[in-house]
Every structure is written in structure tokens, then in C-alpha cells.
Amino acid sequence: MNIKNLMIPFTLWNKNKKTNLYLSDYPLFYYKNTNAQQNNLKYCVRILFWAGMVGHGTNYKEAFLNLQETFELYKTNNEYLPKPWEKKELEFASDEQILKYESFAADFFDKILGMDFYNGFFSDESCLDLFYCDYDDDKKKKIEQDIVNKVKATYGVDIQKVYNLPLPELFEFIIDNRDS
């Protein structure tokens, strides 16, 4: 079966629709991820031409339901919904604010987190909890306390009350309050 031949009637039919779009208006691609190490990532359903709009699950039905939830969340939080025939590139969150603190961020990542700031992408919305989300609550609390203690020892600032701020705001707090 040739996907190209299926797409032409599909897109012509949908171009005439002027009303609200639903997941059923989009061409979907079902596939099995043979490299998945987690069972809940083995089955996938994605919208063709829309990078990142994918649902995963332990079976196709679960993957479809997860895609539907993601699609509805996108619709709720965005003014523009791509048309089914449009190619939607992957978008990254802004890193404009965090790059204002680039030299401090590089120092912080090295001294506090033991990481190289330049070996990853960190957005303006990144926060310390995202680095340790796979751990249980007890382990997270210990890691948080270790980071708070390292920041106090390194920069002379107690970040306990602002630990959950996005990194740019956390960096600004540390810079504004550190020992001179």
C-alpha cells in the first residue's frame, strides 16, 4: 500500500474543513518500538508530519489514548493547531534567560551537579527536580539536601526555600545573595 496515494484524498477532504480539528482528522502512523527497554514504550502512535506528537503504551490502544491526551493538551494550551497536511517541526523551549547566566550556569553545573553545562540542553523552565525525577521521594529529598548544602558551602547562599524555582531564577537568587 502506498501512503502517498492515501494522503492525497485525505488532505483534499480535510482542506475543505473550516471548523475545529480533532485527532481523527490527522493521518496516524502505528509502529512497534523494538528497541524500547520499558514495556510502556513498546507501542507507538504518532501523527504523520508532526514531530514529537506521539503516544506510547503497552499496546496500540494505550498508545493511541496517550496520543489523544497529548493532542488535547496541545489544543488547550496553544492558539494555533497545525492543519493535517502541514509539516510541524519539533520546537524547543526558550533558553534565552538561562543563557544570560551562562558563565554562572557552567560553574554551578560543574561545582554543584558534577555535570558539564555544555553537554545538554537546558531551557528557561528547567529546574533541579527534573534532573532527579526517576528517583523515589526519599532519594530525591537526600539529593535536594545535598545540593542545598553544596550551594551554601560554595556560594554562601541558602536555597532551601527557592530550590524549585526555574534555573534562571535560581541563578539570579544565588548571584544576588551570595557572599562577596
Side-chain angles (χ1 to χ4, degrees), residues 25-118:
D25 295 320
Y26 291 82
L28 302 179
F29 180 67
Y30 291 75
Y31 61 100
K32 188 171 182 181
N33 182 356
T34 57
N35 295 323
Q37 294 181 3
Q38 292 175 244
N39 204 28
N40 64 335
L41 300 175
K42 289 194 183 220
Y43 292 87
C44 310
V45 181
R46 70 178 181 89
I47 297 177
L48 287 177
F49 313 120
W50 190 339
M53 187 56 72
V54 63
H56 302 280
T58 56
N59 55 50
Y60 288 123
K61 182 178 181 180
E62 185 178 308
F64 176 82
L65 292 174
N66 287 331
L67 172 62
Q68 191 168 32
E69 184 178 320
T70 302
F71 178 79
E72 291 301 323
L73 187 64
Y74 184 91
K75 266 177 73 170
T76 301
N77 293 314
N78 293 275
E79 289 180 27
Y80 178 75
L81 192 61
K83 304 297 183 254
W85 56 89
E86 290 179 327
K87 186 173 183 179
K88 176 82 166 100
E89 301 290 337
L90 189 61
E91 294 178 30
F92 288 96
S94 171
D95 62 353
E96 186 177 315
Q97 295 300 314
I98 199 167
L99 290 179
K100 288 181 181 178
Y101 302 101
E102 182 178 355
S103 61
F104 182 80
D107 185 69
F108 182 91
F109 270 65
D110 180 46
K111 292 178 179 172
I112 306 302
L113 303 176
M115 297 171 62
D116 185 346
F117 176 72
Y118 299 105

